[in-house]
Structure formats: C-alpha cells, structure tokens
C-alpha cells in the first residue's frame, strides 16, 4: 500500500481529475461516464501519505479539495468510524485557508480527446463558466461527432446524457450512443461511424487560447476551434466555442458551427442539436413576442433518418424566419431556478424543431431526484443546403432566477458580399457590448469600423471607446486607435485591455501594438517600468497613439511615465 501511495502518478491523477470537474464538484459526463465527484477515500489516503512524508504543499492542495467535499455536504468524516479509516486516515485535517486552487483555464485530456475550458469565479459555482469540447477517439466515448457540454448557474445544463439504461438495452444503441443525443450537428440525418478507435475519426484541435498548460492572455475570454470529418456521408466540420466573461456574475458561450458535405449529395441538410436540463422551454422572436410552433411529426415520418430521431417526442416545428431567443428553465427544489438562454441570429433556409429528448442518465445522484427522470428539452435547427458559409451561430447565457439574464440583444452585423462566410455577432446587455468575429480561413475584413484578419477575435466596448481587443487566432485586429498585428506574419493570439490609465497586454508571438494615451510633454512609454526605446508616436483623431513591438508574454502593463 505504501509503495502505491508513493507513486507520483497518484496525486497527479487526482489533480488531473480536478481539471475535469465542474465548479459544483461533478465531472463531465462524456460518453458512458456519469457525473461523479472526486474520490474522498483516495484524498484521505493521499493526505495521510503526504503528512507522513512531510510534503506539506501537496497536503494543503489535497486538504482543500477534501474540504470542498465536506463543505458541500457530499462527505462526512464523522461517519467514517470503520477500522480502515481509523488506522489509515489522519486524525484531523490541517486548517487550510482560502478556496481550493482552481483548475487551469484550459486542460486537454488526450485519452478522451476532450478540451476543458474554464472561466471560474473562485468560490462561486453559480457564476462560473466551464465547457467541455470533445470528439470521438474510441474507448467509451460515444459516436458524438464534435460535441460540447455547457455548465452554468451551478449545474451541468447543456448536458451529455450518458449511456442508456444498460449497454444491452435498445435505448443505448438506438439513441444514447448516437450523434442525435449530443450537442452537435448531424449531416443528412444519417451521419455516424464505427466506435472503434481510429485516427481518421478523431476530432482535431485547430486553434485554442489559452493552450493546455499556458497562461491565459485575458481574464475575460478564451476559445477552442476544432475540426472533424465524417466519412459517411462525407462531410467536413469546424466548430469554434468561446467563453466570454462580461462581469463578476455574468458571461456567455459563443458557438459557431460550420458543416458541409464534400461529396455529391442531393438535398443536403444539416441538423444542429442542443439539449438542456429543465422542465420548460420558451421561444421568442426578434421583437420579444412568443414564437409559435405547430405540432408536427416530420422527424417521425421522414424516410432515411437514423433510428435515433424516433426517440424524440412532442415535436413542434416552424420556419426560423427571425432571430431566436430560447430559454430553458430548470426549477430546482428549494433553490433558485437555473436557466439557459440561447440566442440564434436568423439565416435563410432554416427550420426550427422543439422536441423532448430522453432523460439525462449521466447525472444520476448528482441532482435532486425529481430532476433525474424528466425529458431533456431540445432544440434542433435544420439548415437546408450547406451550413459552411452560413454556419450555425449561437450565444448561450446561463443565469439564476435570482440574478436574471444580463444579455438583452444578440444580432448579426452586416458584412459585404466579398466577406462570404465571415461571421460577425454583437452581444449587448448590462455588461460591455461585445463584438465577436469568426472566419473559416484568414482573409482581410472590414466591418463596423474594425479591420480583422484571422479566424477568431472579439472587441469589448463601444466604437471609439474600446475597453479590450482580443485577437484569438490571426494576424491582425484594429478597432478605433487600438491595433494588434503579428510582427512576423505568423498567426498569433494577442490581447490589450484597459486598466485605468494603463493597458495590460499579452501575446503568444511577436506583436506590434498601437494604443492611445493622453500624453503630456516629457512622458515616455513604459512597459513594466522599463522605457520602450523604439516606440513611435502618431496623432489619430486628436489622440496620441503609441506604436511599439513586444515579444511573446502575458500580463505586461503599458503606461506613461517619466523614464529614469
């Protein structure tokens, strides 16, 4: 036993599990797994071993994690009076101050081919944002295509539903293991593949910031872009998922999903699925009026759809002719309602389906008993024709009934004809206005007074008074007097955000930056108290704009001062 506990892989394994856990203490539910908690017995044994060997730093980390299980009511040391606990656990836990160390902003687990993205508020599970972004890699992962799971308001709301009643029941093979059960896009109602591990079925991460193990450029935003190929029917897909924080208690997810068939395919269509926990689903149009759908049986009677569609019930449908705002509400016993608002800007050739999907089998004891058996309210948006140049674009905002929604409007900005496939989305509400841009390739674009070349970027604040410019993956971004440009023409990530009279900047490569200042005589540009000798100054719309180049780095403060 002592030799096993001394293996450094064990504490590394526990800390890796921490990376895969949501702020409510439950793990993601990818594939056949269930939403489980950290193993308290393993924590107890490792704490005892760390104390025995004098590893106080490790003991502190493990003790904080165990305290979270105790404080949340999921573990009681007082109930452990058995002989094993009395002889193997420490008699009392060390007093450890502060909140348990949070996970990294991004964590990549190759075994499940999953990227965990975190934007957590320490000690505040209700207002933290966390998403799982994953794709097939064999093993116990399902035939889920390129899927996401979304956390919010203290719960795993946009959930992966786990396995069927058992591996041998019809619902497992017929529904739970299929793409239809997951938050993904199904091509022509038939896309699937064998479950065995195969490199050509593996979702690939094409770009991400922060990368696994790297420091984040911004506390407000991060993203992952993945690519996936279906063999039958032959189709290519790309997905960008960003976590965007707009305040201590507000934020949202931004999802752009492109999908196209690559072979000859008549009557092509693409089905975007989103499943959410809850007892009710309400739909509104762009003007805020109730969106009326009619009872239908299209999915039950359409020929050649895979069997999984037959598990969807209570079908209502209608044309999606205007911007959509949907709201999923989960009324929690003795607690505030947990809601997820979904916004989707209108696009030609779309039809909306609202259905009830089979229950979430992954959550099990992780939620109040009445909520375990309810169907999952589900939206399916069907794009007639290809969904590449007109991708699915969605904004998801989780919130509690106590707080209410922060997002008030989501709409697409107008782009010129030369910008086919370029997506621009504006999100407005009680936080800063956020303009998000996504492109399948790197082309030059001009929109709303901004210029951009890359695959993902975001600008916080109104035109002329931007508070943050974020180039997630690309070569250049300019908004007002602020610009970020790769100095080597290689694709980079870069960020500049206001902090009082100064700016905080960071980049993953050499970057040329332009920032506006209220400059006075004798003042020099300083970066972390060191003068920038090669800074050039120019006047733009009555403001002094500094232009300078920096190597890769994070959290560098740029300001004016008197150089020593």
């Amino acid at each position: 036993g002592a030799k096993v506990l001394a293996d450094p892989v064990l504490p590394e394994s526990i800390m890796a599990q921490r990376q895969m856990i949501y702020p409510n203490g439950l793990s993601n539910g990818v594939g056949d797994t269930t939403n489980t908690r950290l193993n308290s017995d393993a924590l107890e044994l490792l704490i005892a071993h760390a104390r025995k060997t004098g590893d106080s730093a490790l003991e502190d980390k493990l003790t904080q994690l165990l305290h979270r299980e105790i404080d949340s009511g999921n573990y009681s040391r007082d109930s452990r009076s058995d002989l094993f606990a009395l002889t193997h656990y420490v008699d009392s836990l060390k007093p450890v101050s502060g909140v348990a160390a949070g996970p990294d902003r991004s964590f990549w687990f190759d075994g499940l081919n999953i990227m965990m993205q975190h934007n957590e508020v320490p000690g505040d599970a209700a207002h933290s944002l966390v998403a799982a972004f994953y794709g097939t890699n064999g093993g116990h992962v399902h035939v889920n295509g390129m899927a996401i799971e979304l956390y919010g308001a203290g719960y795993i709301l946009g959930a992966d539903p786990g396995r069927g009643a058992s591996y041998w029941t019809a619902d497992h093979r017929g529904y739970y293991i299929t793409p239809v059960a997951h938050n993904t896009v199904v091509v022509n109602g038939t896309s699937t593949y064998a479950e065995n591990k195969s490199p050509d079925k593996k979702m690939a991460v094409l770009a991400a910031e922060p990368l696994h193990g790297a420091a984040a450029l911004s506390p407000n935003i991060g993203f992952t872009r993945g690519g996936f190929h279906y063999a039958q029917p032959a189709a290519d897909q790309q997905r960008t998922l960003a976590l965007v924080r707009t305040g201590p208690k507000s934020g949202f997810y931004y999802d752009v999903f492109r999908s196209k068939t690559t072979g000859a395919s008549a009557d092509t269509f693409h089905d975007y699925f989103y499943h959410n926990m809850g007892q009710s689903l309400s739909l509104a149009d762009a003007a805020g009026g109730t969106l009326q759908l009619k009872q239908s049986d299209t999915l039950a009677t359409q020929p050649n759809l895979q069997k999984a569609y037959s598990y969807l019930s209570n079908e209502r449908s209608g044309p999606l002719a205007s911007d959509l705002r949907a709201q999923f509400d989960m009324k929690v016993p003795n607690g505030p309602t947990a809601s997820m608002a979904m916004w989707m800007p209108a696009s030609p050739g779309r039809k909306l389906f609202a259905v009830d999907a089979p229950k979430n089998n992954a959550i099990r004891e992780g939620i109040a008993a009445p909520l375990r058996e309810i169907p999952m309210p589900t939206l399916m948006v069907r794009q007639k024709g290809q969904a590449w140049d007109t991708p699915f674009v969605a904004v998801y905002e989780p919130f509690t009934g106590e707080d209410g929604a922060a997002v008030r409007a989501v709409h697409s900005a107008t782009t010129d004809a030369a910008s086919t496939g370029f997506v621009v989305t504006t999100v407005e509400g009680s936080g800063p206005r956020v303009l998000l841009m996504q492109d399948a390739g790197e082309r030059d674009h001009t929109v709303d007074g901004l210029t951009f070349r890359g695959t993902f970027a975001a600008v916080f604040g109104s035109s002329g008074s931007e508070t943050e410019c974020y180039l997630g993956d690309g070569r250049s971004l300019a908004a007002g007097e602020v610009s970020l440009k790769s100095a080597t023409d290689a694709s980079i990530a870069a960020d500049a955000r206001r902090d009082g009279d100064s700016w905080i900047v960071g980049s993953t490569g050499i970057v040329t930056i332009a920032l506006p200042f209220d400059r006075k005589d004798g003042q020099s540009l300083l970066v972390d108290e060191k003068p920038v000798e090669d800074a050039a100054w120019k006047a733009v719309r009555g403001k002094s704009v500094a232009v300078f180049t920096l190597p890769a780095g994070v959290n560098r403060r740029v300001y004016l001062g008197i150089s020593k």
Side-chain angles (χ1 to χ4, degrees), residues 421-469:
F422 178 47
V423 173
V424 183
T425 310
T426 301
V427 180
E428 298 179 292
S430 59
R433 168 185 179 267
V434 184
L435 188 145
L436 301 121
M437 294 165 281
Q438 202 281 323
D439 198 10
E442 294 194 354
R443 300 170 292 169
D444 292 317
H445 299 288
T446 300
V447 61
D448 200 22
L450 310 174
T451 61
F452 168 61
R453 182 179 178 85
T455 64
F456 180 65
V459 176
F460 295 71
S462 302
S463 179
S465 57
E466 291 80 9
T467 58
E468 182 168 7
C469 291

Side-chain angles (χ1 to χ4, degrees), residues 15 174 179 312 387 532:
M15 301 314 291
L312 306 174
V532 181

Side-chain angles (χ1 to χ4, degrees), residues 158-505:
D160 190 301
R163 65 177 186 262
S166 79
Y167 292 137
W168 300 274
T169 54
D171 64 338
H172 180 68
R173 284 284 161 193
Y175 175 75
Y176 284 98
I177 203 171
T178 74
V180 172
H182 300 81
N183 298 326
T184 189
V185 168
V186 179
V187 183
N188 291 350
T190 60
S191 52
T192 188
Y193 44 82
E195 302 151 52
N196 59 303
K197 184 176 289 190
S198 176
D200 64 345
K201 300 183 183 73
K202 185 176 180 180
M203 181 270 290
V205 174
L206 305 176
E209 196 290 309
L211 290 169
H212 171 85
L217 298 181
S218 168
N220 301 317
I221 188 167
F223 82 101
T224 297
R225 180 166 63 94
F228 184 75
H229 176 74
Y230 272 115
Q232 185 63 39
D236 286 333
Q237 297 184 333
Q238 279 192 22
R239 186 172 208 164
T240 296
L241 181 69
L243 279 61
V244 184
R245 180 157 297 284
T246 55
K249 293 187 175 183
S250 62
F252 59 86
Y253 302 96
Y254 179 60
D255 184 32
V256 179
F257 202 124
R258 300 176 187 270
S259 183
K260 64 180 178 182
T261 54
T262 57
S265 181
D267 301 321
T268 291
F269 61 92
H270 301 261
D271 291 342
Y272 178 100
F273 279 94
Y274 178 71
H275 313 68
N276 198 91
M277 294 291 290
Q279 299 96 332
S280 63
L281 167 61
S282 58
L283 304 171
D285 59 22
T290 301
L291 185 64
Q292 299 293 342
L293 299 180
K294 295 182 179 180
Q295 291 292 140
S296 59
D297 60 356
T298 302
L299 303 180
T301 60
Q302 182 179 345
N304 302 320
L305 294 183
Q306 60 184 248
K307 184 180 179 180
Y309 283 80
S310 68
Y311 284 82
L312 306 174
S313 61
N314 188 26
E315 179 188 311
R316 296 89 71 204
S317 64
L320 187 57
S322 70
D323 293 351
L324 166 71
R325 184 191 186 276
Q327 183 168 316
F328 302 83
D329 292 317
M330 184 172 72
K331 297 176 177 62
V332 181
N334 304 314
T337 297
S339 299
M340 179 74 83
M342 171 194 177
W343 300 76
M344 180 172 281
S347 186
R350 289 201 175 155
K351 187 174 182 179
L352 176 66
F353 293 81
V355 297
D356 291 340
K359 67 178 182 177
N360 179 359
N361 282 331
I363 189 66
R364 305 199 179 189
E365 288 77 23
I367 204 165
L371 301 177
R372 299 174 199 164
E373 301 301 320
I374 58 176
M376 293 186 74
T378 297
L379 286 180
M380 189 195 92
V381 180
R382 173 166 291 178
Q383 173 70 55
K384 184 179 180 180
Q386 305 289 26
W388 190 270
D389 289 338
T390 54
F392 298 101
V393 178
V395 169
Y396 295 95
E397 184 197 13
F399 58 91
T400 66
E402 294 176 342
D403 296 325
V407 174
R408 300 285 180 262
V410 175
H411 54 85
S412 295
T414 303
T415 59
D416 56 45
S419 296
T420 301
F422 178 47
V423 173
V424 183
T425 310
T426 301
V427 180
E428 298 179 292
S430 59
R433 168 185 179 267
V434 184
L435 188 145
L436 301 121
M437 294 165 281
Q438 202 281 323
D439 198 10
E442 294 194 354
R443 300 170 292 169
D444 292 317
H445 299 288
T446 300
V447 61
D448 200 22
L450 310 174
T451 61
F452 168 61
R453 182 179 178 85
T455 64
F456 180 65
V459 176
F460 295 71
S462 302
S463 179
S465 57
E466 291 80 9
T467 58
E468 182 168 7
C469 291
Y470 175 85
L471 177 63
D473 174 44
R475 286 168 170 78
S476 63
L477 171 66
E481 292 77 43
V482 181
S483 70
L484 303 163
K485 185 176 182 180
S486 172
T488 63
D489 201 39
S491 187
I492 64 169
D495 182 70
R497 65 185 185 277
R498 288 184 184 272
D499 186 30
D501 293 331
S502 60
W503 291 81
I504 307 298
V505 302

